[in-house]
Amino acid sequence: MSNQDRRRPSNRDSTHRDGAHRDQARAGRSRGRGDQGGRETGGGLWFYGRHPVEAALANPARSLHRLLVAERSEAASDPKLSELARRRNLQIETVPRAEIDRRFGEDAVHQGLALQLAPLPERDLEATLAAVPEGPALIVVLDQVTDPHNVGAILRAAAAFGAAAVITTERRAAPESAVLAKAASGTLELVPLVQIGNLARALDELKRLGWWCVGLDGHATQDVRAAGLPERLALVMGAEGPGLRRLTRETCDLLLRLPISDQVESLNVATATAVALYALGPSRSGAGRGASGA
């Protein structure tokens, strides 16, 4: 299909029920006595866990400050970690495990590792899209997805199935945090995460640049496995619970649904995104180029 042949779905004004992906949002729940988001007073950002820490150490775009390793942990004698720290001229600070517990809570699976760092530099939407090679491609667009566990899992799925970027809003969205990075399992450093101010305008910009905006919606009549879809797709996913907002649905070129069993009411947004990315590939998404972070 060409840009000139764009057609909007005729059922876009129907009553919306997000049967494809509902999430019981966990954002804001307590994650222990420590700092839930991985930030300290003064704006410091901390990551924890082997995959997020090693990936951040290996990312030259990251500005790094401190690396803490718990005494008598596996990380304390890990040669890979030592080499990564050496390459970044970062001294490893060996501390009691309780110090890392205090930062993130005793329930956090930090594996004896904590890394203080700066947030990634802001990314420009048009520049990010310009870097995507010609031919089949996928990106993910999130409409007010606020749970950092879901956004992290979506980044991981995007890497696994070759999506070129994940786009999210600046407001009513999960910010970069320790929880998000842990859920992403290192893929926050691999998949561009782009924040935009106005989603409807961003979708219009995507279409101007040759992308087709495909929203996942439980009331859509077309299956996500539909034949004849364009090569360059922006998969638009709705928020936990309400799904796609009305204006977002109306701005999409197509609405598609996941053909799930009647015995299951819905999938959460991260699971639905992973299934949709798989269904829309592999030839379209270039699967195999990404990494799961496992």
Side-chain angles (χ1 to χ4, degrees), residues 239-287:
E240 301 92 348
L244 297 173
R245 290 175 292 167
R246 179 187 58 82
L247 181 58
T248 303
R249 293 200 313 274
E250 293 178 354
T251 308
C252 287
D253 295 302
L254 298 170
L255 296 179
L256 300 176
R257 63 178 179 83
L258 290 178
I260 64 175
S261 167
D262 292 338
Q263 295 178 324
V264 178
E265 182 181 357
S266 62
L267 300 175
N268 82 353
V269 63
T271 303
T273 302
V275 173
L277 287 173
Y278 177 78
L280 293 169
S283 60
R284 178 177 291 111
S285 66

Side-chain angles (χ1 to χ4, degrees), residues 53-59 64-69 75 78-93 113-115:
V53 167
E54 288 184 352
L57 286 169
N59 183 1
L64 309 176
H65 305 312
R66 297 178 66 192
L67 175 59
L68 308 185
V69 177
D78 184 351
K80 179 181 179 181
L81 183 71
S82 298
E83 177 62 16
L84 287 170
R86 185 193 64 78
R87 291 179 184 176
R88 300 301 302 272
N89 296 316
L90 197 63
Q91 181 178 355
I92 296 177
E93 302 176 44
L113 280 172
L115 177 65

Side-chain angles (χ1 to χ4, degrees), residues 121-177:
E122 292 186 5
R123 296 178 182 271
D124 176 74
L125 176 60
E126 189 165 353
T128 300
L129 297 176
V132 180
E134 293 293 328
L138 266 176
I139 59 175
V140 179
V141 182
L142 304 180
D143 184 9
Q144 297 190 344
V145 176
T146 58
D147 185 344
H149 297 86
N150 276 331
V151 176
I154 288 168
L155 282 164
R156 193 171 182 177
F161 297 114
V166 173
I167 299 169
T168 186
T169 51
E170 293 173 352
R171 299 180 60 190
R172 295 188 60 80
E176 184 178 358
S177 69

Side-chain angles (χ1 to χ4, degrees), residues 10-226:
S10 60
N11 64 336
R12 69 186 183 191
D13 294 323
S14 62
T15 302
H16 174 61
R17 177 184 63 84
D18 181 28
H21 48 82
R22 177 187 298 169
D23 179 54
Q24 298 175 349
R26 293 173 292 180
R29 293 184 182 177
S30 172
R31 300 181 181 91
R33 295 192 300 270
D35 176 35
Q36 296 179 14
R39 292 184 184 271
E40 288 185 335
T41 302
L45 179 64
W46 287 86
F47 284 0
Y48 62 83
R50 183 165 65 89
H51 290 308
V53 167
E54 288 184 352
L57 286 169
N59 183 1
R62 281 285 188 188
S63 178
L64 309 176
H65 305 312
R66 297 178 66 192
L67 175 59
L68 308 185
V69 177
E71 296 171 339
R72 295 185 295 276
S73 66
E74 290 185 12
S77 58
D78 184 351
K80 179 181 179 181
L81 183 71
S82 298
E83 177 62 16
L84 287 170
R86 185 193 64 78
R87 291 179 184 176
R88 300 301 302 272
N89 296 316
L90 197 63
Q91 181 178 355
I92 296 177
E93 302 176 44
T94 304
V95 299
R97 189 178 188 89
E99 180 172 339
I100 301 179
D101 288 342
R102 177 182 60 79
R103 294 183 182 279
F104 307 109
E106 294 178 0
D107 294 334
V109 185
H110 56 68
Q111 298 167 298
L113 280 172
L115 177 65
Q116 187 184 33
L117 70 178
L120 286 168
E122 292 186 5
R123 296 178 182 271
D124 176 74
L125 176 60
E126 189 165 353
T128 300
L129 297 176
V132 180
E134 293 293 328
L138 266 176
I139 59 175
V140 179
V141 182
L142 304 180
D143 184 9
Q144 297 190 344
V145 176
T146 58
D147 185 344
H149 297 86
N150 276 331
V151 176
I154 288 168
L155 282 164
R156 193 171 182 177
F161 297 114
V166 173
I167 299 169
T168 186
T169 51
E170 293 173 352
R171 299 180 60 190
R172 295 188 60 80
E176 184 178 358
S177 69
V179 173
L180 188 154
K182 181 64 174 175
S185 193
T187 57
L188 177 60
E189 313 300 323
L190 301 178
V191 179
L193 181 62
V194 184
Q195 290 188 323
I196 47 89
N198 184 286
L199 184 59
R201 283 201 295 267
L203 294 178
D204 285 337
E205 177 69 3
L206 282 165
K207 292 190 283 188
R208 184 185 70 81
L209 294 172
W211 295 79
W212 275 68
C213 298
V214 176
L216 206 65
D217 185 279
H219 277 298
T221 57
Q222 230 178 336
D223 194 304
V224 73
R225 300 167 297 185

